[in-house]
Amino acid sequence: MANRFIIAGGGTGGHIFPAIAIANAIKHVQPSSQILFIGAKGKMEMEKVPQAGYEINGLDIAGFNRSSLLKNISLPWKLVKSFVQVRSIFASFQPDAVIGVGGYSTFPVLKYAQSKGIPTFIHEANSFAGKSNMMLGKKATKIFVATPGMERFFPAEKILVSGNPVRDIIVRNAIQREEALRFFKLDPDKTTVLAVGGSLGAASINNALMEQLDEFGKNDLQLIWQTGKTNSEVYKNAAAKYNNVWVGEFINQMEYGYAAADMVISRAGAMAVTELCITGKVAILVPYPHAAEDHQTANAMQLVNNSAAILVKDEKAKADLVKEVVAISKEVMKQEEMKAAIRKQALRNAADFIAKEILQSL
């Protein structure tokens, strides 16, 4: 008999791509499974999930706005409305289990499932758990976490250390460096830096790069620069005269980005950190300082404390980021040590592990 799953969450690639990886793993183990995603209307998941071949329903919901309390006036109404929508979706789809991966839709979906006695499973990607997941964890069937030591957030008996699910195309990336560099029309003989700041971009990273693009050429480096959507035209114009810089709003085939890169500049979201561990890259991390509970710094420190990454504080990016990149590019032995250290942090089969644990629990 086919099991029916609802997967709830989204908002960023760090939630969406692990959710899709879990869905794919469930279908691999049990092809007859039926899977429905629930996300937030207007968010990234409403585009990315259908592209991956899954149906998604959107809720009228938003998160708490920390920067403007006035914008939270409608939040209680949206939360009530989302529960009404969830009830309707559940009545139609009748799930056997519900999986939450983080994002606005996770709380109402899992909370409703728990009120109906439906098994719920949580995946917590970060090394500092979010408040919603902590509340939901009390009644969850199992809680999958990326790193050890999460007992301070969740009931110890429910925790399973799984790592973070990563897109299969990145885990099994067979693209050769030379092929990847041809994809970006760059020189295979030069040390290559990949800079990614998320789908919307990271202003501190982008501005630091824009103001010091000359330094890459001076130090025989080349740059693959994913700017994100915000101010992308400004960055494209700044890079237009450099033949050692590829610049674009978004890299849809990130497997080419990782294959081409010798070093990666990145925020420290959970999935970014996980992908860097799996691909074994020299990582220069610039944690987003306003992330909930400063979880990106916690994620980054998991690597820094194991000599597996370099941390540059957001407020220091303008002065220090490119300087750190240039310095590490000249230290070949340190690069190899960092690559070896970061690979030791990788858990490769998270999606398969999660899928099998969920199916065995039903």
Side-chain angles (χ1 to χ4, degrees), residues 195 197-203 205-207 209-210 213 225-240 245-251:
S199 57
L200 295 178
I205 293 174
N206 286 337
N207 291 333
L209 294 175
M210 181 174 66
L213 286 172
W225 184 11
Q226 178 184 286
T227 66
K229 290 183 179 180
T230 309
N231 296 325
S232 61
E233 289 304 317
V234 173
Y235 303 126
K236 287 177 185 176
N237 290 336
V245 179
W246 179 96
V247 60
E249 187 175 298
F250 195 77
I251 302 171

Side-chain angles (χ1 to χ4, degrees), residues 1-7 26 30 32-36 38 89-100 109-110 112-114 116-121 139-142 357-362:
M1 182 178 171
N3 286 305
R4 301 168 70 85
F5 298 94
I6 283 177
I7 301 179
I26 288 172
Q30 190 183 84
S32 60
S33 298
Q34 296 185 46
I35 297 172
L36 174 68
I38 298 179
I89 294 168
F90 274 54
S92 173
F93 188 74
Q94 297 184 341
D96 297 302
V98 177
I99 304 158
V109 173
L110 268 70
Y112 184 81
Q114 290 175 350
K116 296 299 178 182
I118 298 169
T120 57
F121 301 86
K139 293 186 177 180
T141 305
K142 288 182 179 178
E357 287 288 338
I358 289 172
L359 288 166
Q360 288 170 8
S361 299
L362 301 180

Side-chain angles (χ1 to χ4, degrees), residues 132-348:
S132 290
N133 276 354
M134 287 166 63
M135 288 188 282
L136 293 166
K138 295 172 184 176
K139 293 186 177 180
T141 305
K142 288 182 179 178
I143 302 160
F144 302 100
V145 298
T147 57
M150 298 295 281
E151 294 80 6
R152 57 188 171 137
F153 304 113
F154 300 116
E157 69 277 7
K158 296 184 178 183
I159 294 173
L160 291 169
V161 179
S162 64
N164 283 327
V166 174
R167 289 167 281 180
D168 191 61
I169 197 166
I170 289 175
V171 174
R172 306 183 197 283
N173 195 349
I175 299 166
Q176 297 300 309
R177 182 176 181 274
E178 290 76 13
E179 178 189 350
L181 285 164
R182 284 197 300 272
F183 179 85
F184 293 104
K185 297 182 172 60
L186 292 174
D187 186 344
D189 295 324
K190 290 185 184 293
T191 298
T192 304
V193 181
L194 168 66
V196 289
S199 57
L200 295 178
S204 61
I205 293 174
N206 286 337
N207 291 333
L209 294 175
M210 181 174 66
E211 292 180 19
Q212 298 181 67
L213 286 172
D214 285 341
E215 294 300 309
F216 287 86
K218 287 178 184 176
N219 291 281
D220 206 29
L221 301 173
Q222 56 191 7
L223 175 65
I224 298 169
W225 184 11
Q226 178 184 286
T227 66
K229 290 183 179 180
T230 309
N231 296 325
S232 61
E233 289 304 317
V234 173
Y235 303 126
K236 287 177 185 176
N237 290 336
K241 66 178 181 180
Y242 296 92
N243 60 14
N244 65 326
V245 179
W246 179 96
V247 60
E249 187 175 298
F250 195 77
I251 302 171
N252 286 309
Q253 294 168 283
M254 187 54 79
E255 62 273 20
Y256 281 90
Y258 284 128
D262 300 296
M263 299 185 285
V264 180
I265 299 166
S266 176
R267 287 298 198 194
M271 286 312 302
V273 167
T274 299
E275 289 180 357
L276 290 170
C277 292
I278 285 173
T279 54
K281 299 299 177 180
V282 173
I284 301 95
L285 302 176
V286 187
Y288 178 58
H290 306 297
E293 287 83 35
D294 197 21
H295 69 253
Q296 287 208 7
T297 298
N299 293 343
M301 291 308 298
Q302 289 275 343
L303 299 185
V304 173
N305 290 337
N306 286 284
S307 303
I310 294 167
L311 186 146
V312 175
K313 290 186 176 181
D314 192 76
E315 66 269 21
K316 297 284 189 181
K318 184 176 179 179
D320 295 346
L321 179 57
V322 174
K323 191 187 303 180
E324 287 282 1
V325 170
V326 170
I328 193 65
S329 73
K330 300 179 187 304
E331 297 188 49
V332 177
M333 285 295 293
K334 187 174 180 182
Q335 288 182 44
E336 293 306 314
E337 290 167 3
M338 288 178 67
K339 288 177 185 177
I342 202 168
R343 287 191 188 104
K344 289 179 182 176
Q345 305 300 312
L347 293 171
R348 290 185 163 271

